[in-house]
Amino acid sequence: MSPVIPIRAEATGCSDVRPLVERGQREVFCGLTGIMWLHRKIQDAFFLVVGSRTCAHLLQSAAGVMIFAEPRFGTAIIDERDLAGLADAQDELDRVVNELLAQRPGIRMLFLVGSCPSEVIKLDLSRAAQRLQQRHAPQVRVLNYSGSGIETTFTQGEDACLAALVPELPDPSGQQSPTLLVAGSLADVVEDQLGALLQAMGIEVAFFPPRRSTALPAVGPHTRVLLAQPVLAETARALERRGAQVLPAPFPLGVEGTTAWLQAAATAFGVDAALFEQVTRAPRERGSRAMAAHKPWLEGRSVFFFPDSQLELPLARCLQRELGMTLTEVGTPYLHRQHMAAELALLPAGTRISEGQDVDRQLERCLQDAPDLTVCGLGLANPLEAQGLSTKWAIELVFTPIQGYEQAGDLAGLFSRPLRRRELLTAGQAVQRAA
Ligand code: SF4
Protein backbone atom coordinates (compact mmCIF):
# COMPACT_ATOMS: atom_id res chain seq x y z
CA MET A 1 0.00 0.00 0.00
CA SER A 2 1.30 3.44 -0.87
CA PRO A 3 0.46 5.49 2.22
CA VAL A 4 0.94 8.90 0.68
CA ILE A 5 0.09 10.22 -2.74
CA PRO A 6 3.22 12.05 -3.83
CA ILE A 7 2.59 15.73 -4.43
CA ARG A 8 4.40 16.72 -7.59
CA ALA A 9 6.46 19.85 -7.07
CA GLU A 10 5.12 21.27 -10.31
CA ALA A 11 1.44 20.58 -9.45
CA THR A 12 -0.59 23.57 -10.61
CA GLY A 13 -4.14 22.15 -10.92
CA CYS A 14 -6.46 25.09 -10.24
CA SER A 15 -3.77 27.65 -9.33
CA ASP A 16 -4.92 30.01 -12.07
CA VAL A 17 -8.61 29.33 -11.62
CA ARG A 18 -11.08 32.12 -12.26
CA PRO A 19 -13.85 31.32 -9.79
CA LEU A 20 -17.47 31.90 -10.58
CA VAL A 21 -18.04 34.95 -8.35
CA GLU A 22 -21.56 35.42 -7.05
CA ARG A 23 -22.84 38.16 -4.77
CA GLY A 24 -26.51 37.33 -4.38
CA GLN A 25 -28.63 36.03 -1.54
CA ARG A 26 -26.71 33.84 0.94
CA GLU A 27 -27.81 30.90 3.04
CA VAL A 28 -25.13 30.88 5.70
CA PHE A 29 -25.03 31.22 9.50
CA CYS A 30 -23.61 34.43 10.94
CA GLY A 31 -20.28 34.72 12.77
CA LEU A 32 -21.89 34.25 16.19
CA THR A 33 -21.83 30.52 15.47
CA GLY A 34 -18.08 30.47 16.14
CA ILE A 35 -18.83 30.95 19.85
CA MET A 36 -20.05 27.33 19.85
CA TRP A 37 -16.54 26.00 19.47
CA LEU A 38 -14.50 28.95 20.74
CA HIS A 39 -16.07 28.87 24.21
CA ARG A 40 -14.95 25.27 24.57
CA LYS A 41 -11.45 26.14 23.45
CA ILE A 42 -10.51 29.11 25.66
CA GLN A 43 -11.72 27.68 28.91
CA ASP A 44 -11.60 30.78 31.13
CA ALA A 45 -13.18 33.12 28.57
CA PHE A 46 -16.79 34.29 28.39
CA PHE A 47 -18.54 35.43 25.21
CA LEU A 48 -21.20 38.06 25.84
CA VAL A 49 -23.24 38.69 22.70
CA VAL A 50 -24.62 42.20 22.65
CA GLY A 51 -27.67 41.56 20.54
CA SER A 52 -31.30 40.64 20.08
CA ARG A 53 -33.55 37.74 21.01
CA THR A 54 -32.79 36.28 17.58
CA CYS A 55 -29.11 36.11 18.53
CA ALA A 56 -30.03 34.45 21.85
CA HIS A 57 -32.18 31.89 20.01
CA LEU A 58 -29.40 31.14 17.56
CA LEU A 59 -26.97 30.47 20.39
CA GLN A 60 -29.46 28.41 22.35
CA SER A 61 -30.53 26.25 19.44
CA ALA A 62 -27.09 25.86 17.93
CA ALA A 63 -25.79 25.04 21.40
CA GLY A 64 -28.64 22.69 22.22
CA VAL A 65 -26.25 19.78 22.34
CA MET A 66 -24.26 21.58 25.02
CA ILE A 67 -27.15 21.96 27.42
CA PHE A 68 -25.38 20.09 30.23
CA ALA A 69 -22.10 21.90 29.77
CA GLU A 70 -21.21 24.84 31.97
CA PRO A 71 -22.20 27.75 29.71
CA ARG A 72 -19.50 30.24 28.90
CA PHE A 73 -21.59 32.49 26.71
CA GLY A 74 -24.67 34.65 27.10
CA THR A 75 -26.63 37.41 25.44
CA ALA A 76 -27.18 40.96 26.65
CA ILE A 77 -30.45 41.77 24.88
CA ILE A 78 -30.66 45.45 24.14
CA ASP A 79 -32.79 45.81 21.02
CA GLU A 80 -36.15 45.96 22.73
CA ARG A 81 -35.43 48.82 25.06
CA ASP A 82 -36.56 52.36 24.66
CA LEU A 83 -33.17 53.82 23.91
CA ALA A 84 -33.65 57.49 24.61
CA GLY A 85 -29.89 57.85 24.31
CA LEU A 86 -26.93 55.60 23.71
CA ALA A 87 -25.74 56.34 27.24
CA ASP A 88 -28.64 54.16 28.47
CA ALA A 89 -27.40 51.24 26.44
CA GLN A 90 -23.83 51.74 27.67
CA ASP A 91 -25.08 51.86 31.28
CA GLU A 92 -27.11 48.72 30.67
CA LEU A 93 -24.10 46.94 29.23
CA ASP A 94 -21.95 47.98 32.22
CA ARG A 95 -24.61 46.68 34.58
CA VAL A 96 -24.81 43.30 32.81
CA VAL A 97 -21.02 42.94 32.76
CA ASN A 98 -20.66 43.92 36.44
CA GLU A 99 -23.27 41.35 37.44
CA LEU A 100 -21.74 38.67 35.26
CA LEU A 101 -18.22 39.16 36.62
CA ALA A 102 -19.47 39.27 40.21
CA GLN A 103 -21.32 35.97 39.70
CA ARG A 104 -18.54 34.27 37.73
CA PRO A 105 -15.18 35.13 39.33
CA GLY A 106 -13.45 32.47 37.18
CA ILE A 107 -13.78 34.59 34.02
CA ARG A 108 -10.37 35.90 32.96
CA MET A 109 -11.24 37.09 29.46
CA LEU A 110 -14.49 38.66 28.33
CA PHE A 111 -15.39 39.09 24.68
CA LEU A 112 -18.14 41.59 23.86
CA VAL A 113 -19.51 40.24 20.59
CA GLY A 114 -21.33 42.68 18.29
CA SER A 115 -24.38 41.70 16.22
CA CYS A 116 -26.82 43.10 13.64
CA PRO A 117 -29.54 45.18 15.35
CA SER A 118 -29.19 48.87 14.57
CA GLU A 119 -29.05 49.73 18.31
CA VAL A 120 -25.98 47.50 18.63
CA ILE A 121 -24.33 48.91 15.53
CA LYS A 122 -24.68 52.40 17.02
CA LEU A 123 -23.00 51.27 20.25
CA ASP A 124 -19.24 51.69 20.17
CA LEU A 125 -18.26 48.27 21.55
CA SER A 126 -14.52 48.92 21.33
CA ARG A 127 -14.91 51.95 23.63
CA ALA A 128 -17.15 49.91 25.90
CA ALA A 129 -14.45 47.20 26.03
CA GLN A 130 -11.77 49.77 26.92
CA ARG A 131 -13.95 51.28 29.64
CA LEU A 132 -14.79 47.90 31.14
CA GLN A 133 -11.18 46.76 30.86
CA GLN A 134 -10.06 49.78 32.93
CA ARG A 135 -12.64 48.95 35.56
CA HIS A 136 -11.94 45.22 35.79
CA ALA A 137 -8.19 45.01 35.07
CA PRO A 138 -6.05 43.14 35.87
CA GLN A 139 -8.42 40.27 36.81
CA VAL A 140 -10.25 40.35 33.48
CA ARG A 141 -9.20 41.30 29.96
CA VAL A 142 -12.11 42.75 27.97
CA LEU A 143 -12.01 42.55 24.16
CA ASN A 144 -14.56 43.00 21.42
CA TYR A 145 -15.27 41.76 17.92
CA SER A 146 -18.20 41.52 15.56
CA GLY A 147 -20.15 38.34 14.85
CA SER A 148 -22.86 40.25 12.98
CA GLY A 149 -24.46 38.50 10.03
CA ILE A 150 -24.00 41.71 8.03
CA GLU A 151 -20.23 41.55 8.36
CA THR A 152 -19.39 37.91 8.96
CA THR A 153 -20.43 34.45 7.84
CA PHE A 154 -20.29 31.31 9.97
CA THR A 155 -16.56 30.66 10.48
CA GLN A 156 -15.48 34.31 10.04
CA GLY A 157 -16.49 34.82 13.69
CA GLU A 158 -13.45 32.80 14.72
CA ASP A 159 -11.23 34.94 12.52
CA ALA A 160 -12.65 38.15 14.03
CA CYS A 161 -12.20 36.78 17.57
CA LEU A 162 -8.60 35.66 17.08
CA ALA A 163 -7.66 38.85 15.22
CA ALA A 164 -8.94 40.83 18.25
CA LEU A 165 -6.74 38.65 20.47
CA VAL A 166 -3.49 39.08 18.51
CA PRO A 167 -2.61 42.53 19.96
CA GLU A 168 -2.77 40.94 23.42
CA LEU A 169 -0.06 38.37 22.60
CA PRO A 170 3.21 39.13 24.40
CA ASP A 171 6.46 39.94 22.59
CA PRO A 172 9.08 37.18 22.76
CA SER A 173 11.75 38.24 25.23
CA GLY A 174 15.25 38.07 23.73
CA GLN A 175 14.35 35.06 21.63
CA GLN A 176 16.47 34.40 18.53
CA SER A 177 15.58 30.93 17.27
CA PRO A 178 12.37 30.32 15.31
CA THR A 179 9.31 28.94 17.08
CA LEU A 180 6.17 27.41 15.64
CA LEU A 181 2.67 28.74 16.27
CA VAL A 182 -0.30 26.70 15.04
CA ALA A 183 -3.23 29.09 14.49
CA GLY A 184 -6.88 28.08 14.38
CA SER A 185 -8.94 26.21 16.95
CA LEU A 186 -8.68 22.44 16.90
CA ALA A 187 -10.34 19.91 19.17
CA ASP A 188 -8.08 19.23 22.17
CA VAL A 189 -7.55 15.62 21.07
CA VAL A 190 -6.35 16.74 17.62
CA GLU A 191 -4.15 19.45 19.13
CA ASP A 192 -2.52 16.88 21.43
CA GLN A 193 -1.85 14.45 18.54
CA LEU A 194 -0.41 17.04 16.16
CA GLY A 195 1.60 18.63 18.99
CA ALA A 196 3.09 15.24 19.89
CA LEU A 197 4.13 14.57 16.25
CA LEU A 198 5.79 18.00 15.95
CA GLN A 199 7.55 17.58 19.27
CA ALA A 200 8.80 14.13 18.23
CA MET A 201 10.50 15.93 15.34
CA GLY A 202 12.10 18.32 17.81
CA ILE A 203 9.81 21.28 17.01
CA GLU A 204 8.52 23.28 19.98
CA VAL A 205 4.99 24.35 19.22
CA ALA A 206 2.38 26.67 20.75
CA PHE A 207 -1.29 26.75 19.78
CA PHE A 208 -3.47 29.79 19.19
CA PRO A 209 -6.03 30.20 20.66
CA PRO A 210 -4.59 28.74 23.87
CA ARG A 211 -6.71 26.70 26.25
CA ARG A 212 -6.35 29.38 28.94
CA SER A 213 -6.29 33.12 28.40
CA THR A 214 -3.46 33.36 30.93
CA ALA A 215 -1.20 31.28 28.62
CA LEU A 216 -1.11 33.52 25.55
CA PRO A 217 1.75 32.52 23.22
CA ALA A 218 4.44 35.07 22.32
CA VAL A 219 4.64 36.32 18.73
CA GLY A 220 7.37 38.19 16.88
CA PRO A 221 9.74 38.06 13.88
CA HIS A 222 10.94 34.56 14.85
CA THR A 223 7.45 33.11 14.83
CA ARG A 224 6.54 30.73 12.00
CA VAL A 225 2.79 30.25 11.67
CA LEU A 226 1.07 27.14 10.40
CA LEU A 227 -2.65 27.65 9.81
CA ALA A 228 -4.77 24.77 11.07
CA GLN A 229 -8.00 26.32 9.80
CA PRO A 230 -8.63 28.01 6.46
CA VAL A 231 -10.69 30.84 7.95
CA LEU A 232 -8.03 33.12 9.33
CA ALA A 233 -7.44 35.91 6.81
CA GLU A 234 -7.59 38.77 9.36
CA THR A 235 -5.76 36.83 12.06
CA ALA A 236 -2.90 35.96 9.69
CA ARG A 237 -2.63 39.63 8.67
CA ALA A 238 -2.50 40.68 12.34
CA LEU A 239 0.20 38.07 13.08
CA GLU A 240 2.21 39.22 10.05
CA ARG A 241 2.02 42.80 11.30
CA ARG A 242 3.79 41.49 14.44
CA GLY A 243 6.57 40.12 12.19
CA ALA A 244 5.43 36.46 12.04
CA GLN A 245 5.74 34.46 8.80
CA VAL A 246 2.91 32.23 7.60
CA LEU A 247 4.21 28.94 6.16
CA PRO A 248 2.48 27.94 2.92
CA ALA A 249 0.85 24.52 3.30
CA PRO A 250 -2.32 22.58 2.55
CA PHE A 251 -4.60 22.05 5.55
CA PRO A 252 -4.28 18.93 7.75
CA LEU A 253 -7.29 17.08 6.32
CA GLY A 254 -6.81 13.50 5.20
CA VAL A 255 -3.51 11.62 5.28
CA GLU A 256 -2.02 13.55 2.39
CA GLY A 257 -3.02 16.98 3.74
CA THR A 258 -1.75 16.14 7.24
CA THR A 259 1.58 14.89 5.86
CA ALA A 260 2.07 17.97 3.68
CA TRP A 261 1.09 20.24 6.59
CA LEU A 262 3.61 18.57 8.92
CA GLN A 263 6.17 18.61 6.11
CA ALA A 264 5.84 22.41 5.82
CA ALA A 265 6.85 22.73 9.48
CA ALA A 266 9.59 20.10 9.12
CA THR A 267 11.11 21.95 6.15
CA ALA A 268 10.99 25.33 7.92
CA PHE A 269 12.68 23.86 11.00
CA GLY A 270 15.25 21.75 9.13
CA VAL A 271 13.96 18.36 10.27
CA ASP A 272 15.86 15.46 8.76
CA ALA A 273 13.87 13.44 6.14
CA ALA A 274 14.60 10.15 7.92
CA LEU A 275 13.29 11.50 11.23
CA PHE A 276 10.17 12.83 9.49
CA GLU A 277 9.56 9.41 7.94
CA GLN A 278 10.14 7.64 11.24
CA VAL A 279 7.74 9.91 13.16
CA THR A 280 4.93 9.92 10.60
CA ARG A 281 5.02 6.41 9.11
CA ALA A 282 2.87 4.50 11.63
CA PRO A 283 0.07 7.11 12.02
CA ARG A 284 0.12 7.69 8.26
CA GLU A 285 -0.44 4.01 7.59
CA ARG A 286 -3.20 3.85 10.22
CA GLY A 287 -4.90 6.85 8.61
CA SER A 288 -4.65 5.37 5.12
CA ARG A 289 -6.13 2.06 6.27
CA ALA A 290 -9.00 3.84 8.05
CA MET A 291 -9.77 5.93 4.95
CA ALA A 292 -9.55 2.93 2.62
CA ALA A 293 -12.44 1.26 4.48
CA HIS A 294 -14.75 4.03 3.21
CA LYS A 295 -13.43 4.20 -0.32
CA PRO A 296 -15.82 1.61 -1.83
CA TRP A 297 -18.73 3.93 -0.97
CA LEU A 298 -17.11 7.07 -2.28
CA GLU A 299 -14.93 6.20 -5.26
CA GLY A 300 -16.40 7.38 -8.54
CA ARG A 301 -19.25 9.24 -6.79
CA SER A 302 -19.78 12.96 -7.36
CA VAL A 303 -19.94 15.70 -4.74
CA PHE A 304 -21.20 19.31 -4.84
CA PHE A 305 -20.19 21.83 -2.15
CA PHE A 306 -22.33 24.85 -1.27
CA PRO A 307 -20.26 27.63 0.33
CA ASP A 308 -20.42 27.47 4.11
CA SER A 309 -17.42 26.93 6.35
CA GLN A 310 -14.41 27.76 4.11
CA LEU A 311 -13.31 24.15 4.61
CA GLU A 312 -14.72 23.29 1.17
CA LEU A 313 -11.53 23.44 -0.90
CA PRO A 314 -9.37 21.30 1.43
CA LEU A 315 -12.23 18.81 1.83
CA ALA A 316 -12.75 18.63 -1.93
CA ARG A 317 -9.02 18.03 -2.44
CA CYS A 318 -9.06 15.21 0.11
CA LEU A 319 -12.22 13.58 -1.33
CA GLN A 320 -10.93 13.77 -4.89
CA ARG A 321 -7.31 12.71 -4.39
CA GLU A 322 -7.56 10.23 -1.53
CA LEU A 323 -11.07 8.84 -1.96
CA GLY A 324 -11.59 9.03 -5.71
CA MET A 325 -14.68 11.26 -5.75
CA THR A 326 -15.42 13.60 -8.65
CA LEU A 327 -16.07 17.27 -7.98
CA THR A 328 -19.04 18.90 -9.67
CA GLU A 329 -18.79 22.30 -7.94
CA VAL A 330 -16.75 23.53 -4.99
CA GLY A 331 -18.29 26.64 -3.46
CA THR A 332 -16.50 28.74 -0.86
CA PRO A 333 -17.78 31.87 0.88
CA TYR A 334 -14.48 33.60 0.24
CA LEU A 335 -11.42 32.54 -1.74
CA HIS A 336 -8.14 33.60 -0.08
CA ARG A 337 -5.72 32.90 -2.91
CA GLN A 338 -2.60 33.00 -0.76
CA HIS A 339 -3.85 30.73 2.03
CA MET A 340 -5.46 28.42 -0.52
CA ALA A 341 -2.52 28.33 -2.96
CA ALA A 342 -1.39 24.81 -2.00
CA GLU A 343 -4.98 23.52 -2.05
CA LEU A 344 -5.77 25.06 -5.44
CA ALA A 345 -2.62 23.53 -6.91
CA LEU A 346 -3.80 20.07 -5.85
CA LEU A 347 -7.31 20.29 -7.30
CA PRO A 348 -7.80 18.91 -10.81
CA ALA A 349 -7.55 21.58 -13.50
CA GLY A 350 -10.97 22.69 -14.67
CA THR A 351 -12.78 22.15 -11.35
CA ARG A 352 -15.75 24.53 -11.13
CA ILE A 353 -14.97 26.73 -8.13
CA SER A 354 -17.49 29.34 -7.00
CA GLU A 355 -16.94 32.17 -4.54
CA GLY A 356 -19.80 33.84 -2.65
CA GLN A 357 -23.36 32.82 -3.34
CA ASP A 358 -26.52 33.47 -5.27
CA VAL A 359 -28.50 30.70 -3.68
CA ASP A 360 -31.24 30.26 -6.31
CA ARG A 361 -28.78 30.04 -9.18
CA GLN A 362 -26.58 27.67 -7.25
CA LEU A 363 -29.53 25.43 -6.40
CA GLU A 364 -30.37 25.29 -10.10
CA ARG A 365 -26.81 24.22 -10.94
CA CYS A 366 -26.87 21.62 -8.18
CA LEU A 367 -30.16 20.09 -9.33
CA GLN A 368 -28.89 20.04 -12.88
CA ASP A 369 -25.64 18.31 -11.84
CA ALA A 370 -27.61 15.84 -9.67
CA PRO A 371 -24.52 14.94 -7.59
CA ASP A 372 -24.39 11.77 -5.51
CA LEU A 373 -23.66 13.89 -2.43
CA THR A 374 -24.28 17.57 -1.64
CA VAL A 375 -22.53 19.34 1.24
CA CYS A 376 -24.66 22.29 2.38
CA GLY A 377 -26.05 24.32 5.26
CA LEU A 378 -28.97 23.12 7.40
CA GLY A 379 -31.48 25.31 5.57
CA LEU A 380 -30.81 23.73 2.19
CA ALA A 381 -30.51 20.09 3.27
CA ASN A 382 -34.22 19.26 3.65
CA PRO A 383 -35.34 20.78 0.32
CA LEU A 384 -32.51 18.96 -1.46
CA GLU A 385 -33.28 15.65 0.27
CA ALA A 386 -36.92 16.11 -0.83
CA GLN A 387 -35.62 16.35 -4.39
CA GLY A 388 -33.91 12.98 -3.97
CA LEU A 389 -30.37 14.18 -3.27
CA SER A 390 -28.16 12.89 -0.45
CA THR A 391 -26.82 15.68 1.74
CA LYS A 392 -24.22 16.28 4.40
CA TRP A 393 -24.57 19.20 6.84
CA ALA A 394 -21.53 21.43 6.55
CA ILE A 395 -21.78 22.38 10.23
CA GLU A 396 -20.98 18.79 11.25
CA LEU A 397 -17.61 19.14 9.58
CA VAL A 398 -16.87 22.10 11.84
CA PHE A 399 -18.00 20.47 15.08
CA THR A 400 -16.42 17.05 14.50
CA PRO A 401 -12.68 16.55 15.01
CA ILE A 402 -11.55 15.76 11.45
CA GLN A 403 -7.95 16.99 11.26
CA GLY A 404 -4.89 14.80 11.53
CA TYR A 405 -4.06 11.15 10.85
CA GLU A 406 -6.14 9.56 13.60
CA GLN A 407 -9.29 11.36 12.44
CA ALA A 408 -8.84 10.64 8.70
CA GLY A 409 -11.15 7.60 8.86
CA ASP A 410 -13.85 9.59 10.72
CA LEU A 411 -13.57 12.30 8.07
CA ALA A 412 -14.15 9.79 5.27
CA GLY A 413 -16.99 8.26 7.30
CA LEU A 414 -18.83 11.58 7.50
CA PHE A 415 -19.10 11.51 3.70
CA SER A 416 -19.73 7.79 3.20
CA ARG A 417 -22.53 7.58 5.78
CA PRO A 418 -25.22 9.51 3.85
CA LEU A 419 -24.46 7.44 0.73
CA ARG A 420 -24.68 4.16 2.64
CA ARG A 421 -27.93 5.29 4.27
CA ARG A 422 -29.50 6.13 0.91
CA GLU A 423 -28.33 2.83 -0.58
CA LEU A 424 -29.92 0.91 2.30
CA LEU A 425 -33.16 2.88 1.92
CA THR A 426 -33.26 2.27 -1.82
CA ALA A 427 -32.59 -1.44 -1.32
CA GLY A 428 -35.32 -1.60 1.35
CA GLN A 429 -37.83 0.08 -0.96
CA ALA A 430 -36.95 -2.32 -3.79
CA VAL A 431 -37.58 -5.29 -1.48
CA GLN A 432 -40.94 -3.83 -0.44
CA ARG A 433 -41.96 -3.32 -4.06
CA ALA A 434 -40.96 -6.88 -4.96
CA ALA A 435 -42.90 -8.35 -1.99
FE1 SF4 B 1 -29.26 37.13 13.40
FE2 SF4 B 1 -27.48 39.10 13.16
FE3 SF4 B 1 -27.94 38.04 15.59
FE4 SF4 B 1 -26.64 36.61 13.72
S1 SF4 B 1 -25.93 38.50 14.69
S2 SF4 B 1 -28.33 35.88 15.04
S3 SF4 B 1 -27.65 37.29 11.82
S4 SF4 B 1 -29.42 39.18 14.35
Side-chain angles (χ1 to χ4, degrees):
M1 173 173 54
S2 160
V4 190
I5 301 165
I7 298 173
R8 287 177 295 116
E10 73 279 13
T12 54
C14 282
S15 296
D16 299 325
V17 73
R18 284 181 150 200
L20 172 65
V21 178
E22 294 191 317
R23 296 286 182 261
Q25 198 192 342
R26 305 182 300 194
E27 284 281 336
V28 190
F29 280 128
C30 66
L32 294 189
T33 328
I35 294 172
M36 293 307 105
W37 58 90
L38 286 166
H39 87 278
R40 277 186 281 181
K41 195 70 226 171
I42 317 175
Q43 289 161 14
D44 54 359
F46 193 97
F47 293 81
L48 183 67
V49 175
V50 184
S52 64
R53 288 193 189 282
T54 313
C55 307
H57 283 309
L58 171 83
L59 287 178
Q60 276 159 12
S61 54
V65 282
M66 309 280 305
I67 200 115
F68 299 112
E70 170 96 347
R72 284 194 294 269
F73 54 84
T75 313
I77 294 168
I78 68 154
D79 70 332
E80 287 168 8
R81 288 169 192 282
D82 178 14
L83 293 175
L86 286 176
D88 292 354
Q90 297 281 9
D91 289 348
E92 175 65 3
L93 185 58
D94 288 10
R95 189 188 64 74
V96 171
V97 168
N98 291 343
E99 264 178 29
L100 173 70
L101 296 179
Q103 283 165 6
R104 308 284 300 275
I107 297 173
R108 290 281 165 272
M109 180 170 276
L110 175 67
F111 288 100
L112 304 178
V113 189
S115 62
C116 302
S118 52
E119 291 87 347
V120 176
I121 292 170
K122 281 184 235 149
L123 263 182
D124 186 342
L125 280 188
S126 79
R127 275 193 37 216
Q130 279 168 19
R131 185 180 65 244
L132 288 161
Q133 163 83 35
Q134 275 168 10
R135 186 167 315 154
H136 297 285
Q139 287 83 6
V140 186
R141 240 184 261 254
V142 186
L143 301 171
N144 74 290
Y145 71 91
S146 172
S148 151
I150 301 166
E151 294 167 74
T152 58
T153 69
F154 197 10
T155 45
Q156 279 176 311
E158 171 167 352
D159 190 23
C161 173
L162 297 191
L165 197 46
V166 170
E168 303 296 312
L169 302 183
D171 287 319
S173 49
Q175 175 200 324
Q176 291 303 319
S177 52
T179 55
L180 182 65
L181 183 70
V182 170
S185 52
L186 293 165
D188 289 353
V189 60
V190 176
E191 200 173 285
D192 290 343
Q193 288 164 10
L194 293 174
L197 289 170
L198 290 161
Q199 273 155 17
M201 292 180 219
I203 302 172
E204 276 308 311
V205 57
F207 289 89
F208 180 61
R211 294 185 196 181
R212 299 201 69 78
S213 68
T214 44
L216 293 175
V219 64
H222 297 290
T223 309
R224 304 292 174 265
V225 178
L226 207 43
L227 299 177
Q229 297 286 358
V231 302
L232 300 178
E234 280 301 315
T235 306
R237 260 198 293 279
L239 289 167
E240 282 168 341
R241 279 198 293 274
R242 297 281 301 270
Q245 281 175 32
V246 176
L247 302 174
F251 291 90
L253 294 168
V255 170
E256 181 189 41
T258 304
T259 304
W261 187 83
L262 290 167
Q263 182 65 66
T267 304
F269 286 80
V271 174
D272 178 68
L275 177 60
F276 184 84
E277 172 64 19
Q278 183 199 321
V279 170
T280 59
R281 184 191 297 154
R284 229 167 54 201
E285 287 178 0
R286 271 199 302 277
S288 293
R289 272 197 302 276
M291 286 184 96
H294 298 274
K295 202 166 175 177
W297 301 95
L298 297 170
E299 192 162 30
R301 302 289 186 89
S302 56
V303 59
F304 187 111
F305 282 89
F306 279 82
D308 218 87
S309 64
Q310 297 190 56
L311 283 163
E312 294 84 3
L313 272 95
L315 288 169
R317 177 263 302 156
C318 172
L319 292 176
Q320 194 271 329
R321 288 175 60 92
E322 295 192 75
L323 293 159
M325 293 192 84
T326 56
L327 309 174
T328 49
E329 176 165 332
V330 186
T332 178
Y334 173 66
L335 179 59
H336 192 299
R337 286 222 174 240
Q338 197 188 336
H339 293 171
M340 282 296 160
E343 297 290 353
L344 288 170
L346 294 171
L347 287 173
T351 304
R352 191 203 305 153
I353 294 175
S354 60
E355 183 194 13
Q357 192 167 41
D358 186 329
V359 71
D360 288 334
R361 289 168 59 177
Q362 199 167 28
L363 277 168
E364 264 174 41
R365 292 199 298 279
C366 180
L367 292 171
Q368 204 164 23
D369 289 343
D372 294 307
L373 184 63
T374 304
V375 183
C376 60
L378 294 172
L380 295 179
N382 278 347
L384 288 171
E385 289 274 346
Q387 300 263 2
L389 298 186
S390 295
T391 59
K392 163 83 336 212
W393 293 350
I395 198 164
E396 272 188 75
L397 297 155
V398 175
F399 282 113
T400 313
I402 51 171
Q403 293 82 2
Y405 293 126
E406 311 300 342
Q407 283 64 238
D410 295 343
L411 170 60
L414 285 174
F415 291 94
S416 68
R417 209 167 301 132
L419 294 174
R420 291 161 87 144
R421 195 180 51 221
R422 185 161 289 269
E423 212 151 294
L424 285 173
L425 275 174
T426 314
Q429 283 161 355
V431 169
Q432 271 181 359
R433 273 196 302 272

